[in-house]
Amino acid sequence: MRKQLIRILLVFFTALALLIAFTLNKVVQKEEQVFFVYLILLVIIIVSMLRLFMWARDKVMIPMDKLKESIKAVSEGDFNHILDLDGADEISEVCQDFEKLRIHLKENIEDREKVDRENRELIGNISHDLKTPITAIKGYAEGILDGVVTTPEEQKKYLMTIHNKAVDMTNLIDELTYYTKIDTNRIPYRFDKISPVEFFYDCVEDVGLDLESRGFIFTHSVDVDSDVVVIADVVQLAKVVNNIINNAVKYMDKTPGKIDISLRDDRDFVKFEITDNGMGIEAADIPKIFDRFFRADASRNTGTGGSGIGLSIVKKIIEDHGGKIWANSKVGVGSTFSFILRKYQEAELSDE
Ligand SMILES: Nc1ncnc2c1ncn2[C@@H]1O[C@H](COP(=O)(O)OP(=O)(O)OP(=O)(O)O)[C@@H](O)[C@H]1O
Ligand SMILES: [Mg+2]
């Protein structure tokens, strides 16, 4: 490229020099003047050549070399090679477009790697979560078959455990099936205009009695106008509230356990908050609790069971509603789960 350019420049300026010399020969009369004019001409041509060469080097050769290098890197699978070129000329624009393409490809590859990694984790987790009850079922069944347990009471106890483990497995498989469907958008939502206040009181009625009968102190409060409307699927939204309350019950380590749910006005949004005085979550774990299959070490040790899917479903449902969910927590003090949904506003018809 460089050699070709130099050759073109040489040919161009030689032709130009010859043309000017030929014209001068005709115009300039005195010998000494001719030499002087040739000298100036030579200087002008050399300076112009140098400037033209520098321009071509900066604007064409260097960007092309960088582009070539980048194309080579990308074609060899190195998507981290940055092609850094500003400028508004055509070659810079081509380079900038190529850089966008590289970033796009890099993101696609990273996404694919993330999905692959998650799938591997998923298979590992499913195998582990299914293996645990199966091992127990096998052990208890062998106990009965080998005649280790002889009395009808003991046999009944063993059978009850086998039954409970089988129920755990069914629940896990149901949750997994639901998760896979919701994750791949195969759960059709039925969005309606609903009153968050009505929905809130339905939830209170649903969970209140049950919680109180289990010894919890259950409180609730509302601070939203009854005519406020949100667009939501009530069945899925009820799943969200139930999941969060089930966690509050499951990870409760105090007597009496306290659970409070509230509905607040938050400018263009309504905010649901569920607070418990349970074991709390380590600060480092809070960003991970909405990840599929994440369970804090403290919860694993409680023997409460669970596969860490609940909050990932909750998050997906809230995000599919265009909302946001987050948690605040302090170990030993308790946790608050908050989610917001945008208020629905009828488009106002203008008089124009
Ligand atoms: N209210 C809470 N108090 C303390 N820890 C909590 C609370 N809610 C969630 N967590 C932590 O977040 C983790 C993830 O919760 P998630 O509901 O996704 O899974 P899980 O309850 O372990 O299992 P699953 O809901 O699938 O039966 C829990 O294992 C627990 O460590
Ligand atoms: Mg849960």
Side-chain angles (χ1 to χ4, degrees):
M1 175 101 192
R2 240 168 255 255
K3 276 184 206 151
Q4 271 172 347
L5 194 77
I6 292 171
R7 236 176 272 151
I8 292 168
L9 285 177
L10 274 175
V11 170
F12 172 74
F13 280 107
T14 314
L16 189 69
L18 284 173
L19 185 71
I20 296 172
F22 181 73
T23 319
L24 274 177
N25 247 347
K26 301 238 164 218
V27 179
V28 182
Q29 304 299 325
K30 293 185 194 153
E31 282 287 315
E32 61 280 15
Q33 277 180 341
V34 172
F35 174 74
F36 188 62
V37 170
Y38 274 162
L39 197 67
I40 292 176
L41 198 64
L42 194 68
V43 171
I44 292 174
I45 289 176
I46 289 172
V47 170
S48 313
M49 254 180 94
L50 278 175
R51 289 209 49 101
L52 202 63
F53 179 77
M54 273 154 66
W55 173 85
R57 188 198 57 190
D58 293 345
K59 295 288 176 193
V60 182
M61 289 185 298
I62 293 179
M64 288 308 268
D65 283 351
K66 283 189 176 178
L67 180 62
K68 239 170 70 185
E69 234 175 76
S70 211
I71 291 175
K72 187 166 177 274
V74 168
S75 66
E76 287 169 359
D78 173 10
F79 292 92
N80 293 316
H81 189 101
I82 298 170
L83 178 54
D84 187 14
L85 262 184
D86 323 315
D89 53 281
E90 278 87 351
I91 293 182
S92 302
E93 277 173 14
V94 170
C95 291
Q96 285 153 15
D97 286 345
F98 183 78
E99 178 61 6
K100 280 187 204 149
L101 178 73
R102 177 194 70 83
I103 293 170
H104 185 67
L105 285 172
K106 186 174 178 237
E107 284 170 356
N108 269 354
I109 286 173
E110 281 170 357
D111 283 352
R112 219 179 50 211
E113 281 171 356
K114 188 168 168 249
V115 171
D116 285 351
R117 208 172 38 244
E118 281 182 357
N119 282 342
R120 274 197 303 275
E121 266 172 38
L122 180 76
I123 294 170
N125 284 321
I126 294 173
S127 327
H128 173 265
D129 282 358
L130 286 176
K131 223 156 104 191
T132 317
I134 286 178
T135 312
I137 288 175
K138 235 175 95 195
Y140 285 102
E142 278 166 8
I144 297 172
L145 289 172
D146 296 347
V148 178
V149 283
T150 43
T151 64
E153 291 77 34
E154 268 183 330
Q155 278 178 353
K156 193 172 170 204
K157 214 174 93 191
Y158 271 47
L159 286 171
M160 277 302 287
T161 315
I162 290 174
H163 176 261
N164 290 344
K165 296 288 169 195
V167 170
D168 282 354
M169 276 172 67
T170 315
N171 288 344
L172 172 63
I173 290 166
D174 285 350
E175 249 190 344
L176 271 171
T177 313
Y178 182 82
Y179 181 82
T180 323
K181 280 189 183 160
I182 202 163
D183 198 39
T184 49
N185 299 324
R186 278 184 290 141
I187 298 263
Y189 283 99
R190 280 203 45 172
F191 286 112
D192 280 314
K193 286 185 207 165
I194 64 154
S195 151
V197 175
E198 261 177 46
F199 170 76
F200 179 85
Y201 282 120
D202 286 347
C203 291
V204 167
E205 207 175 301
D206 245 22
V207 297
L209 274 180
D210 178 44
L211 288 178
E212 277 161 10
S213 70
R214 290 156 79 176
F216 281 85
I217 296 178
F218 177 64
T219 48
H220 64 271
S221 56
V222 176
D223 179 20
V224 172
D225 286 343
S226 53
D227 55 358
V228 169
V229 170
V230 296
I231 303 282
D233 178 331
V234 272
V235 177
Q236 303 304 327
L237 216 52
K239 256 196 182 83
V240 168
V241 175
N242 285 333
N243 251 305
I244 298 175
I245 290 186
N246 284 344
N247 280 346
V249 171
K250 213 156 91 171
Y251 303 114
M252 179 55 66
D253 59 352
K254 300 186 184 69
T255 318
K258 292 183 192 161
I259 296 178
D260 175 77
I261 88 169
S262 70
L263 180 64
R264 298 264 170 272
D265 201 299
D266 192 0
R267 280 170 296 178
D268 291 340
F269 300 88
V270 289
K271 179 157 87 176
F272 288 77
E273 265 184 350
I274 297 156
T275 302
D276 64 60
N277 66 336
M279 59 198 283
I281 307 162
E282 298 275 355
D285 288 340
I286 294 179
K288 303 180 207 154
I289 55 175
F290 293 99
D291 291 350
R292 187 169 62 178
F293 288 115
F294 178 81
R295 299 199 76 209
D297 286 341
S299 323
R300 290 183 188 278
N301 298 335
T302 55
T304 48
S307 38
I309 299 178
L311 287 180
S312 59
I313 292 176
V314 161
K315 184 168 183 242
K316 170 84 174 134
I317 294 175
I318 293 298
E319 286 179 352
D320 287 346
H321 277 72
K324 242 182 85 182
I325 182 159
W326 66 95
N328 288 304
S329 189
K330 209 163 172 212
V331 174
V333 179
S335 316
T336 298
F337 284 81
S338 317
F339 66 89
I340 50 169
L341 296 175
R342 187 178 282 282
K343 290 180 193 166
Y344 173 75
Q345 264 143 4
E346 293 278 358
E348 282 171 24
L349 292 172
S350 72
D351 297 334
E352 286 164 56

